[in-house]
Amino acid sequence: MSNAIRIHNFALSGHSHRVVLFANLAGIDHTLIDVDLAAGEHKKEPFLSLNPFGQVPVIEDGDTVVADSNAILVYLARKYAPDWLPTDAAAEAEVQKFLSFAAGEIAYGPAAARLITVFGAGLDPERTAAVAKIAFTRLENHLNGRDWLVGDHPTIADVAIYSYTAHAPEGNVSLEGYPNIRAYLDRIRGLPGFVAMPSTPVGLAA
């Protein structure tokens, strides 16, 4: 690829980390542009011209602009790292199922729980903990006898699930009861090119 993609990023965002992690795992040349969320940079121009939803991450690949972390994963895999997104219809559907899981139970469970402790979000901690328990029970069961979520090698499904699952203890969501998940997270950390999201010493991680 002749020019690096530009990733508009916020370091403590698990959604941003998905994209940064994948770019590193897949060896995609990229440049990070930090967005100052505390100063409201994402709610002003010129950022809003890139993403009218006012959210990170956003990527620029030449003249192409893509927002939404899972959409970005699909775009990058299709264009630059096809091994990370199956072309078999059934396997691709499985990947899409886990992208929805990341945008659903993971977002409303461990990700939302972390929003409370890291960013002071006015959410219900009991509700987020309950959703996280449902999500992690399903994930734990799915990983019985499996190394990866779909097929026999990592896909963008694994990248989408990783960040908020690994950082769940920051939101007071323990991973102690989920040995399959903990081993799975270790496998992802062991992949060449892995980069961690910065840890925040709050919740169970304090």
Side-chain angles (χ1 to χ4, degrees), residues 106-150:
I106 295 295
Y108 292 104
R114 183 175 170 273
L115 284 176
I116 298 170
T117 55
V118 176
F119 300 106
L123 302 173
D124 181 352
E126 292 186 3
R127 171 63 179 164
T128 59
V131 175
K133 182 176 181 180
I134 292 169
F136 286 168
T137 299
R138 290 175 178 169
L139 187 59
E140 177 75 10
N141 291 338
H142 180 78
L143 287 167
N144 272 329
R146 299 173 181 265
D147 286 341
W148 308 107
L149 293 179
V150 180

Side-chain angles (χ1 to χ4, degrees), residues 23-53:
N24 280 275
L25 291 175
I28 299 169
D29 190 19
H30 63 281
T31 301
L32 297 181
I33 296 95
D34 291 328
V35 179
D36 189 347
L37 268 59
E41 185 180 350
H42 57 308
K43 300 299 184 182
K44 308 173 196 174
E45 292 296 349
F47 187 87
L48 287 175
S49 292
L50 289 175
N51 183 8
F53 286 9

Side-chain angles (χ1 to χ4, degrees), residues 98 101 105-106 110 131-149 158 161-169 173-190:
F98 281 103
F101 182 67
E105 290 96 327
I106 295 295
V131 175
K133 182 176 181 180
I134 292 169
F136 286 168
T137 299
R138 290 175 178 169
L139 187 59
E140 177 75 10
N141 291 338
H142 180 78
L143 287 167
N144 272 329
R146 299 173 181 265
D147 286 341
W148 308 107
L149 293 179
D158 302 294
I161 294 299
Y162 174 79
S163 305
Y164 287 120
T165 300
H167 287 259
V173 176
S174 175
L175 295 173
E176 285 303 309
Y178 307 104
N180 290 338
I181 293 177
R182 296 199 310 276
Y184 167 70
L185 295 175
D186 284 341
R187 284 192 290 276
I188 295 176
R189 292 185 191 106

